[in-house]
Amino acid sequence: MGRSRRTLPEELLLLALDPTTGTTAQPQSLDLGLAGAQLVELALAGRIAPDGDRIAVVAPRPTGDPTLDCALELLRRRGAPVRAVNWIGGPRLGLRQTYLSHLERCGMVHAVEGQMCGVLPTTRYQATDTAISREIKTRLDSAIRTGVPPDPRTAALAALAHAVGLGKHLYPGNEGRSSRSRLRDLIRHDPMGGLVAHAVMDVQNGAVAQPRRAPAPAGRQAAAGPGARQAPEPARGVPAQPRHGSMARAVAH
């Protein structure tokens, strides 16, 4: 994968970054969105593909992006398709900071050191070129305004932005209500983006341990009996990244 194109996790993070305060909107759900955006990016690169509500590796060769390749390798090691909701809901400490640091190395943001309550060190991130963020949002605005089906990348970005709750950040107030509604509707234009966005929302709603199942055939239902229930599939997260020390710097939130 060439580096001339920004990845979906990078674009989602730039959308969430407040140009005035240097903080990120919806920080908790954003972490889930970044994990989901990695899946969509890998799918766009032809490395993974949806298999029902699961994700299957179809081409394990590296993309050239270290962070995406780490996710791809973890998926490959699972040996079997992984439920999207379990992958996104797994522990992935530090993913947002990883992408913030990457954007800083690329010169798209710069770190501003400070203190919270005059004691705790903090780091906020200011965009060095707000034109990049404006260009990304313009793509969403165009898709919302024209009603023309967007390209898969923009459709997936819209789906993820809606899933993590960025609609009220991008289109605030009563005047933005119709735009937020149309942003949500764009989810239908990319199957992979829709799958991942729904998985992000399921995790936020606490549905990680309840896999979605198609209704059983009538014959099987009768054989099992009206009160029989299948045991839910256990949640399977990815290995947690090493925890930082308790005095680690606070980052943009």
Side-chain angles (χ1 to χ4, degrees), residues 53-242:
D53 67 346
R54 297 174 182 264
I55 303 298
V57 175
V58 296
R61 66 184 183 278
T63 65
D65 181 297
T67 309
L68 289 175
D69 288 341
C70 179
L72 180 61
E73 176 61 15
L74 288 173
L75 286 166
R76 186 194 66 79
R77 289 179 185 175
R78 300 298 290 269
V82 181
R83 286 184 65 220
V85 70
N86 283 344
W87 172 264
I88 291 169
R92 46 191 79 252
L93 183 66
L95 187 59
R96 184 166 22 121
Q97 181 58 48
T98 295
Y99 275 106
L100 283 168
S101 298
H102 169 74
L103 291 177
E104 185 181 17
R105 289 193 300 271
C106 292
M108 285 188 273
V109 302
H110 69 276
V112 179
E113 305 297 336
Q115 288 185 331
M116 182 183 297
C117 301
V119 178
L120 183 64
T122 63
T123 305
R124 298 176 183 270
Y125 291 85
Q126 301 285 349
T128 56
D129 186 356
T130 56
I132 297 175
S133 297
R134 287 198 302 270
E135 182 272 325
I136 297 170
K137 186 172 182 294
T138 296
R139 283 166 38 211
L140 294 184
D141 292 344
S142 178
I144 287 172
R145 183 178 62 254
T146 65
V148 176
D151 62 274
R153 180 173 294 274
T154 301
L157 181 62
L160 288 162
H162 166 70
V164 303
L166 286 184
K168 59 188 177 183
H169 167 71
L170 299 170
Y171 306 103
N174 287 333
E175 65 275 16
R177 183 177 300 173
S178 61
S179 293
R180 293 196 298 271
S181 177
R182 288 192 290 269
L183 180 72
R184 178 196 61 215
D185 292 342
L186 291 175
I187 200 170
R188 70 183 187 275
H189 290 295
D190 179 60
M192 184 66 180
L195 168 66
V196 169
H198 282 298
V200 169
M201 291 185 283
D202 282 348
V203 173
Q204 294 179 81
N205 293 329
V208 178
Q210 276 301 110
R212 295 180 178 178
R213 290 189 295 269
R220 290 182 60 187
Q221 288 178 334
R229 298 177 61 188
Q230 294 184 7
E233 176 182 318
R236 295 173 292 176
V238 299
Q241 298 184 32

Side-chain angles (χ1 to χ4, degrees), residues 3 6-14 65 99 102-103:
R3 294 301 298 145
R6 292 181 299 271
T7 65
L8 275 172
E10 294 164 7
E11 292 196 327
L12 184 66
L13 185 51
L14 285 170
D65 181 297
Y99 275 106
H102 169 74
L103 291 177

